[in-house]
Amino acid sequence: MSAQPPTIPLLTPHKMGKFNLSHRVVLAPLTRMRSYNTVPQPHAILYYSQRTSEGGLLIAEASGVSDTAQGFPDCPGLWTREQVEAWKPIVDAVHAKGGVFFCQIWHAGRVSNSGFQPNGQAPISCTDKPLTPQLLANGVDVAQYTPPRRLRTDEIPQIVNDFRLAARNAIEAGFDGVEIHGAHGYLIDQFMKDQVNDRTDEYGGSLENRCRFALEIVEAVVNEIGADKVGIRLSPFADYMESADSDPKALGLYMVKSLNKYGIQYCHVVEPRMKAVGDKIESPDSLLPMREAFKGTFIAAGGFDREDGNNAVAEGHADLIAYGRWFLANPDLPKRFELNAPLNKYNRDTFYISDPVVGYTDYPFLETTA
Ligand SMILES: Cc1cc2nc3c(=O)[nH]c(=O)nc-3n(C[C@H](O)[C@H](O)[C@H](O)COP(=O)(O)O)c2cc1C
């Protein structure tokens, strides 16, 4: 009989409300652009089920809350009957393997162009400040954005309502909950960050006003599906898509303290070292003050490997660690961490291609030896 290796912190259980997670290695939300015409496809059944482990938490890719929410080709949605029906077998497959499955609900705001919008209209935002063209992940193509149209104050409740309906649809599709996408320079983040939000109504100016839209969405979603089914993702320190804040510490703390009032299940925060997309930098900032102020489960993401994920859990910096690129390329990531096995390398060139297999479901599992 061989001795059992000591359990590493990442593989210890964590109780997240009613969910008994068997380990702390979370699948981060990953846009894969393979949901043709905004409808999730059967190939996603295999993709998500490959990444499911008994008692593991998975967060599905950003899914649009309405026909104005999209900003990239072939991202899934949650506003039509067809989309809801198409999610069901995917969610069922994750549940069949014992996974806990939340869906990220998203509005791109000004990170869009008229080609993705109904009737070719301008994207909506908190502002009419345009976003400068951005280099895409392949390092070659440049995305062009249409100058956004500033939402009128009286239009904002409709967008809040879209998040509420999308959350209801997610639950109808079978998801265990939703993650409100408040990160990465998309609509909610555009409202929160003072370098974007230039409004003079009750949704702009003070920290309280800039966070009002996010918190109204949280409240509406909590009232619709219950606080135990709600998480949120935030990236106060990031400046993706020209969405920066002059005082990210204050923003992060204000948000987590406000979230406590709603008793949501988790807060998922992107590490300060991920200031720019995909690049890890040295940062003097820490998520610890946010972690200490938040009463629910705290998930950290961004640039983690096995070693610093273990350290973050052991030192109490986070309850759970979300892995993006490593989980994309290693469907059996928790198993590999358990065995300290080598990892498949990820291939950026296939992150966002529309192939239903290549770079999607063809990353190999560890060879199993009898
Ligand atoms: C291909 C790809 C797609 C992504 N899509 C999303 C997304 O839909 N929603 C989101 O909040 N973050 C998204 N991210 C960010 C990841 O969730 C994660 O925060 C980031 O990759 C950093 O974590 P990592 O160092 O473990 O990869 C994406 C990242 C990649 C590489």
Side-chain angles (χ1 to χ4, degrees):
M1 236 177 78
S2 63
Q4 286 288 332
T7 305
I8 60 172
L10 279 170
L11 297 176
T12 55
H14 172 74
K15 194 163 163 48
M16 184 175 85
K18 66 178 178 190
F19 304 107
N20 291 310
L21 303 178
S22 66
H23 62 79
R24 297 161 188 262
V25 183
V26 177
L27 175 69
L30 294 166
T31 290
R32 306 307 313 276
M33 297 193 201
R34 284 149 165 99
S35 297
Y36 312 138
N37 280 321
T38 75
V39 179
Q41 298 294 308
H43 45 247
I45 298 173
L46 179 60
Y47 170 75
Y48 281 109
S49 109
Q50 285 179 333
R51 285 158 185 75
T52 305
S53 54
E54 174 83 41
L57 173 63
L58 296 84
I59 305 164
E61 65 210 84
S63 303
V65 297
S66 71
D67 63 355
T68 67
Q70 304 297 89
F72 307 106
D74 296 330
C75 294
L78 265 171
W79 73 89
T80 71
R81 168 81 6 222
E82 188 186 6
Q83 292 160 347
V84 174
E85 292 304 318
W87 272 116
K88 285 182 180 172
I90 303 166
V91 180
D92 287 348
V94 169
H95 285 158
K97 288 178 75 178
V100 175
F101 204 12
F102 275 54
C103 187
Q104 191 178 55
I105 55 175
W106 170 65
H107 195 301
R110 70 172 183 167
V111 187
S112 184
N113 69 49
S114 51
F116 295 116
Q117 296 297 319
N119 309 314
Q121 68 190 35
I124 55 169
S125 183
C126 60
T127 181
D128 49 18
K129 279 190 287 192
L131 183 58
T132 46
Q134 310 274 320
L135 197 62
L136 290 180
N138 63 14
V140 181
D141 296 320
V142 172
Q144 302 288 341
Y145 303 100
T146 306
R149 181 178 71 78
R150 182 194 304 271
L151 283 165
R152 294 189 314 270
T153 312
D154 67 304
E155 292 177 291
I156 291 177
Q158 180 58 48
I159 314 298
V160 173
N161 197 47
D162 288 338
F163 275 89
R164 182 181 68 79
L165 292 174
R168 181 159 89 192
N169 287 338
I171 298 304
E172 199 194 320
F175 282 104
D176 297 294
V178 298
E179 173 174 292
I180 297 165
H181 195 343
H184 293 164
Y186 298 112
L187 185 63
I188 296 175
D189 202 32
Q190 289 158 31
F191 270 85
M192 284 191 283
K193 299 276 178 74
D194 65 2
Q195 304 301 294
V196 185
N197 186 332
D198 55 357
R199 302 181 71 88
T200 54
D201 63 3
E202 65 263 36
Y203 292 94
S206 66
L207 187 53
E208 187 185 358
N209 280 358
R210 283 182 280 115
C211 294
R212 187 181 309 283
F213 177 60
L215 294 170
E216 284 182 356
I217 291 171
V218 170
E219 183 171 323
V221 171
V222 162
N223 288 340
E224 185 66 36
I225 64 172
D228 59 333
K229 300 186 190 70
V230 181
I232 191 168
R233 193 173 219 211
L234 302 171
S235 59
F237 294 93
D239 62 6
Y240 302 1
M241 305 295 173
E242 295 168 8
S243 193
D245 197 83
S246 60
D247 193 353
K249 288 182 202 155
L251 172 60
L253 265 182
Y254 178 80
M255 276 303 292
V256 288
K257 286 181 182 162
S258 307
L259 291 168
N260 284 337
K261 295 180 202 138
Y262 301 100
I264 63 170
Q265 193 67 268
Y266 73 75
C267 185
H268 181 179
V269 189
V270 178
E271 285 286 337
R273 62 188 175 192
M274 305 305 280
K275 197 168 160 60
V277 182
D279 284 332
K280 196 159 134 179
I281 55 154
E282 286 290 320
S283 170
D285 293 312
S286 158
L287 298 184
L288 205 52
M290 287 178 75
R291 193 275 196 277
E292 284 170 347
F294 185 63
K295 297 209 175 93
T297 288
F298 194 84
I299 310 179
F304 284 99
D305 58 17
R306 181 181 187 270
E307 191 187 347
D308 66 352
N310 274 328
N311 291 341
V313 171
E315 290 161 13
H317 283 257
D319 297 303
L320 308 174
I321 306 294
Y323 289 87
R325 291 161 293 182
W326 288 127
F327 221 146
L328 184 156
N330 293 272
D332 50 359
L333 189 65
K335 175 57 87 187
R336 289 181 192 241
F337 282 168
E338 183 188 337
L339 302 174
N340 203 9
L343 303 181
N344 299 325
K345 299 235 171 330
Y346 47 82
N347 178 5
R348 283 173 208 275
D349 296 342
T350 56
F351 280 177
Y352 302 113
I353 64 171
S354 62
D355 195 283
V357 176
V358 177
Y360 192 53
T361 51
D362 62 351
Y363 282 105
F365 284 74
L366 270 181
E367 294 288 325
T368 45
T369 45

